[in-house]
Amino acid sequence: MQVIFEYHDVSASERLEALATEKLEHLKLKFDFVHRADVFFKTENRSDSEEQICDIRLSLPGPRIFASTNANSFSAAITETISDLEDQLRKKKEKMKSH
């Protein structure tokens, strides 16, 4: 799977890239029809502590799948975003089986 990282108002981090890539590889093993992931890291000034944002867009046959999470750390945001994507992929796979 091709993984592309973009940073907005955040400095690049090999640790974040390694964590995201590892979790995306687990998704790829379960859902082999995913062929590309665009991962966006950004910060936002908010009144609460959840200003770290991770957006992930997956390319696969049919419409793309997207998830976004705000958290107090990028690690937590990555984990939650991947979980949301897994739920969406599971539903997509069920639809694909029924057709």
Side-chain angles (χ1 to χ4, degrees), residues 46-69:
R46 292 172 47 127
S47 58
D48 60 11
S49 63
E50 296 187 349
E51 57 187 31
Q52 313 293 318
I53 302 169
C54 176
D55 298 340
I56 301 178
R57 180 177 59 215
L58 297 180
S59 297
L60 47 121
R64 291 181 180 159
I65 293 178
F66 179 81
S68 179
T69 304

Side-chain angles (χ1 to χ4, degrees), residues 4-19:
I4 297 169
F5 294 95
E6 288 188 32
Y7 295 88
H8 300 279
D9 301 325
V10 179
S11 56
S13 167
E14 288 184 20
R15 184 184 66 80
L16 286 177
E17 289 183 15
L19 178 64

Side-chain angles (χ1 to χ4, degrees), residues 17 22 38 44 48 56 76 86:
E17 289 183 15
E22 176 187 335
D38 297 297
E44 186 177 88
D48 60 11
I56 301 178
E86 188 169 357

Side-chain angles (χ1 to χ4, degrees), residues 40-99:
F40 306 92
F41 294 111
K42 51 190 168 185
T43 58
E44 186 177 88
N45 290 330
R46 292 172 47 127
S47 58
D48 60 11
S49 63
E50 296 187 349
E51 57 187 31
Q52 313 293 318
I53 302 169
C54 176
D55 298 340
I56 301 178
R57 180 177 59 215
L58 297 180
S59 297
L60 47 121
R64 291 181 180 159
I65 293 178
F66 179 81
S68 179
T69 304
N70 295 8
N72 57 7
S73 73
F74 281 119
S75 300
I78 291 168
T79 301
E80 184 64 31
T81 303
I82 294 287
S83 177
D84 291 348
L85 288 170
E86 188 169 357
D87 292 343
Q88 291 180 50
L89 286 167
R90 195 173 297 114
K91 290 175 186 173
K92 174 104 174 146
K93 192 171 186 176
E94 285 301 316
K95 278 187 178 180
M96 290 168 65
K97 281 183 182 177
S98 66
H99 291 294

